[in-house]
Amino acid sequence: MTPRIRLIAGVALIVFGFALLGWAIYAGLNPTAPFETRLAPISADAAKDVEGFGLTSERLQQIEVSAKDERRPIATGVVARDEAGRLTPLTWRNQVTEPVFFAEVSAADAAKVLAAIREHTPQDAVVLAWWDLSRAIRLVAGRAAPLDDAEARGLLLPAAWSVAGAAERARWGAGVPTSSANSFTRFMDALLESDETRASEALKKLADGKPAYVAVRISDAWMLAAARPQQLSIAYKDFAATGVSHGLIKSAQQWMRDQKIESGFAVEPMGGATRLHYFQRKSDGDRLIARLLPFSTSLPSPLTRLSLVYQHKGWWIYRLND
């Protein structure tokens, strides 16, 4: 081998070595996602199921989330796209115990709540809600719901998916102006506030002087805890029972006493079981999000700055009083 050929071969090996090193670093920083999200045109059956939303099939898609080594999807749903291309989850079904991205919601329940928002709020109302519900309110209920989030904060992801979850947060935040972050941060701050007066004043500012309403769901407590884990801590326990009965609530309370848990709690039917949602710190029961939702505490104080106008299952709609 001539010196020139040896030189060329050496350079080639060095370049190849750097290429392998770069690929190894890339692979280490970008592990294979433990799940896959697929969007597809909506089928005739799925379109019929969401007729109550009044949206054309061109706006609608079906979505599936699949995990490795699982034969069937772990979550499915129907989503809509607005003019900016933002994805709006209209229905969602989880096939596993913990929610994947969103809590479960049926077409019938979502359509009923969105129709109620249209019925119980004036046309010039501003409805303040989590970013996913805000999109549905704009699309279906036809009311101003200005809050959104380009970071899709609160998306429910198992801890093991945190790295791969960045791509999902980018997917659900696509089409949202980055300027939305400030308003959504202020909304989360208000929900975490323990002083109702300060919280209501902060919410009114977000409504910019218009009649203001707040729409919340039990799952919002989980999304808020996911977005602000240092400020809100929530957990759950499932009881093998269908529906919510006085006996079940007594059993849940006894379990909490046995575990020395003194925080607020809420119960919610979950298929063939009932889920006990509870805060892990007693002080979290004083936050506005806990008082807006049916989280029981030993001495609950009634809200004075917000009035309940509608409630259906896990949804609660309030009017901000003048």
Side-chain angles (χ1 to χ4, degrees), residues 54-66:
L55 300 172
T56 62
S57 58
E58 289 76 16
R59 283 188 179 272
L60 303 173
Q61 290 179 288
Q62 289 177 245
I63 187 169
E64 287 186 355
V65 184
S66 300

Side-chain angles (χ1 to χ4, degrees), residues 171-256:
R171 181 197 306 277
W172 294 96
V176 183
T178 55
S179 58
S180 66
N182 180 54
S183 294
F184 195 72
T185 295
R186 288 158 56 198
F187 177 63
M188 291 192 292
D189 290 341
L191 293 180
L192 288 166
E193 178 62 67
S194 296
D195 185 291
E196 184 191 351
T197 300
R198 286 199 297 265
S200 62
E201 290 302 317
L203 292 171
K204 280 185 178 181
K205 288 179 181 178
L206 289 172
D208 199 23
K210 295 181 180 178
Y213 292 75
V214 180
V216 290
R217 298 172 289 182
I218 289 180
S219 61
D220 289 347
W222 284 90
M223 299 183 91
L224 184 56
R228 297 280 187 87
Q230 301 304 316
Q231 294 177 271
L232 192 69
S233 181
I234 193 169
Y236 74 87
K237 177 177 173 58
D238 288 338
F239 290 82
T242 302
V244 178
S245 65
H246 181 67
L248 175 68
I249 292 175
K250 287 184 66 176
S251 297
Q253 289 174 318
Q254 183 60 53
W255 178 83
M256 291 184 67

Side-chain angles (χ1 to χ4, degrees), residues 28-224:
L29 294 176
N30 295 272
T32 302
F35 62 92
E36 180 183 4
T37 302
R38 292 188 295 272
L39 290 160
I42 192 165
S43 68
D45 288 343
K48 187 175 181 179
D49 185 47
V50 296
E51 282 179 341
F53 293 107
L55 300 172
T56 62
S57 58
E58 289 76 16
R59 283 188 179 272
L60 303 173
Q61 290 179 288
Q62 289 177 245
I63 187 169
E64 287 186 355
V65 184
S66 300
K68 285 185 175 181
D69 304 322
E70 292 290 337
R71 292 186 176 182
R72 63 176 184 173
I74 58 174
T76 58
V78 173
V79 298
R81 287 190 185 272
D82 64 11
E83 289 78 3
R86 287 175 279 202
L87 285 173
T88 302
L90 298 175
T91 71
W92 200 261
R93 182 171 179 79
N94 292 300
Q95 304 291 349
V96 289
T97 303
E98 293 190 26
V100 177
F101 302 169
F102 304 100
E104 193 157 310
V105 57
S106 71
D109 286 337
K112 184 173 183 177
V113 170
L114 292 168
I117 289 174
R118 189 168 53 244
E119 177 184 349
H120 292 284
T121 62
Q123 288 189 348
D124 63 341
V126 171
V127 184
L128 304 173
W130 205 263
W131 57 264
D132 57 328
L133 182 55
S134 291
R135 295 178 192 180
I137 291 170
R138 293 194 297 266
L139 271 176
V140 180
R143 292 293 182 266
L147 298 178
D148 214 324
D149 189 29
E151 301 173 31
R153 281 172 284 184
L155 196 68
L156 299 175
L157 290 161
W161 293 7
S162 58
V163 175
E168 282 303 321
R169 284 187 286 272
R171 181 197 306 277
W172 294 96
V176 183
T178 55
S179 58
S180 66
N182 180 54
S183 294
F184 195 72
T185 295
R186 288 158 56 198
F187 177 63
M188 291 192 292
D189 290 341
L191 293 180
L192 288 166
E193 178 62 67
S194 296
D195 185 291
E196 184 191 351
T197 300
R198 286 199 297 265
S200 62
E201 290 302 317
L203 292 171
K204 280 185 178 181
K205 288 179 181 178
L206 289 172
D208 199 23
K210 295 181 180 178
Y213 292 75
V214 180
V216 290
R217 298 172 289 182
I218 289 180
S219 61
D220 289 347
W222 284 90
M223 299 183 91
L224 184 56

Side-chain angles (χ1 to χ4, degrees), residues 1-13:
M1 184 180 293
T2 67
R4 178 178 176 80
I5 293 175
R6 281 197 297 268
L7 175 63
I8 294 172
V11 171
L13 284 171

Side-chain angles (χ1 to χ4, degrees), residues 168 262 313:
E168 282 303 321
E262 299 178 344
K313 294 186 177 179

